[in-house]
Amino acid sequence: MLETRFGIEVEFTGITRAQAAKVAAEFLGGRVESGNDYYNTQKVIAPDGRVWKFMSDGSIRTQKKECGRIVEASREYSVELVSPILTYRGDIETLQELIRMLRKAGGFTNSSAGIHVHLDSANHTPRSIRNFINIIASKNDLLYKALQIEPERMRFCKKMDAALVEKINRRKPKTMATIESIWYEGYEGSRRQHYHGSRYNFLNLHSFFNGNGTIELRGFNSELHAGKIRSYIVLALALNHQALTQKCASSKKPQVENEKFAMRTYLNRIGLIGDEFKNCREHLCKHLDGNAAWRFRAA
């Protein structure tokens, strides 16, 4: 479940990109290089050669703290941490500690900021992509409530399109080219555009077909809470593993008379079992109604 390589983008404000890069360079033992690109990127070259980027993002509402109050700030305070390719076992502790350092330095998030997890798509097939679409469609309501997606961000991570799900399951595509054709139906403009309209979904396949060859999950509010970020990564890896290994997946929404119980048992089923993932289960069930232990007992 945890073997797939991933990358993460964490949007925040409160400190400038230069300040964030300095914090990361000191923690990682790396050096900072300033990019002269559109995003005014600050790059941190780690001793292992990997590059951690701090970029500008137009969707972030820039703020900072002054005398204990949150006030508006310049665009230098628009910060998106873009990680290099990571592995869970090799890098999660480093990532979590870096997040803690950035928060300690003054970084914070607001309702405009999000987290995106990119998953290595190398092992995916037409069957597993169809599975992924159906899994997200069937869990749309539960995931959106569990993750408390901010209304301000809904347009950047829309629920799975019912028409797309219907077409995928009716045509049962056997090739990636057919899935790609279905994915872009109804959209205008070149598919090669980075900011193509089809990318603003919880499950983004534009990054798979015309980006970095990754499957992107965009349905996470931003956090500089290391435990919550870990729970988002584990959930993304588990959903990806389910899509890859399950023979088939239904888009039908299950009966959920007890949300918390439904989520806990689902997380157990996809691999979040035992003490290692206890905190992840708690973070992901916290905002749901019901009783996690008893299906039919009142909370």
Side-chain angles (χ1 to χ4, degrees):
M1 179 183 84
L2 301 174
E3 287 73 22
T4 297
R5 300 185 306 168
F6 67 94
I8 189 168
E9 299 165 359
V10 182
E11 297 171 348
F12 61 98
T13 187
I15 56 177
T16 66
R17 291 185 292 283
Q19 289 171 322
K22 182 180 179 183
V23 169
E26 290 177 354
F27 171 63
L28 296 168
R31 69 180 194 279
V32 179
E33 290 185 0
S34 297
N36 295 314
D37 57 13
Y38 175 78
Y39 302 100
N40 190 18
T41 303
Q42 300 288 304
K43 298 179 180 178
V44 176
I45 318 299
D48 61 8
R50 293 188 294 180
V51 180
W52 300 70
K53 298 178 182 177
F54 294 88
M55 308 171 69
S56 173
D57 187 288
S59 68
I60 301 171
R61 189 168 66 256
T62 50
Q63 297 173 314
K64 62 182 179 180
K65 290 182 179 177
E66 282 186 354
C67 302
R69 294 174 55 244
I70 293 178
V71 299
E72 299 303 308
S74 71
R75 296 309 301 172
E76 289 300 308
Y77 287 76
S78 169
V79 188
E80 181 178 37
L81 161 62
V82 180
S83 80
I85 296 172
L86 304 175
T87 63
Y88 183 83
R89 295 299 184 198
D91 298 306
I92 192 66
E93 291 183 4
T94 299
L95 174 64
Q96 286 188 282
E97 191 58 26
L98 175 57
I99 293 298
R100 294 186 188 102
M101 294 285 183
L102 293 169
R103 184 174 63 180
K104 186 177 179 181
F108 62 86
T109 63
N110 57 37
S111 59
S112 71
I115 286 177
H116 312 142
V117 179
H118 286 262
L119 301 157
D120 184 356
S121 62
N123 294 325
H124 274 280
T125 65
R127 175 190 58 79
S128 66
I129 294 294
R130 185 179 161 204
N131 281 350
F132 220 149
I133 290 172
N134 282 330
I135 290 166
I136 298 300
S138 69
K139 297 292 184 296
N140 258 345
D141 296 337
L142 199 60
L143 288 173
Y144 273 68
K145 185 168 183 180
L147 297 170
Q148 295 282 288
I149 298 174
E150 295 282 356
E152 188 175 343
R153 294 191 51 254
M154 288 291 286
R155 63 193 174 103
F156 296 116
C157 51
K158 291 175 281 191
K159 289 186 176 182
M160 187 59 68
D161 179 27
L164 169 72
V165 176
E166 189 277 330
K167 283 184 280 190
I168 283 284
N169 289 314
R170 175 165 46 82
R171 299 184 194 176
K172 297 179 174 55
K174 303 297 183 186
T175 67
M176 289 296 188
T178 306
I179 295 179
E180 181 177 1
S181 176
I182 295 172
W183 175 261
Y184 288 107
E185 280 185 16
Y187 289 101
E188 297 181 351
S190 171
R191 299 177 183 181
R192 308 303 172 194
Q193 295 175 8
H194 178 68
Y195 294 108
H196 191 272
S198 70
R199 73 196 295 264
Y200 299 112
N201 289 282
F202 188 110
L203 175 68
N204 170 24
L205 295 183
H206 179 61
S207 64
F208 175 58
F209 293 120
N210 284 291
N212 299 318
T214 63
I215 293 174
E216 182 185 26
L217 295 182
R218 301 173 56 87
F220 306 104
N221 295 332
S222 196
E223 289 281 353
L224 290 183
H225 184 297
K228 290 182 181 177
I229 288 181
R230 173 174 170 263
S231 72
Y232 297 161
I233 292 169
V234 170
L235 176 63
L237 291 171
L239 290 169
N240 184 63
H241 184 258
Q242 184 189 12
L244 283 168
T245 58
Q246 199 158 293
K247 186 174 181 180
C248 62
S250 171
S251 63
K252 185 178 179 181
K253 295 185 179 182
Q255 292 294 324
V256 182
E257 65 279 345
N258 181 341
E259 296 170 343
K260 195 165 285 187
F261 182 87
M263 189 64 165
R264 182 186 66 79
T265 53
Y266 174 65
L267 294 175
N268 284 341
R269 184 160 69 85
I270 62 176
L272 278 70
I273 304 169
D275 289 343
E276 180 178 5
F277 301 116
K278 182 179 178 181
N279 286 344
C280 296
R281 294 194 300 272
E282 289 175 351
H283 287 308
L284 296 170
C285 292
K286 180 179 178 181
H287 297 289
L288 298 174
D289 295 324
N291 188 305
W294 304 95
R295 181 176 181 181
F296 296 112
R297 180 178 292 184

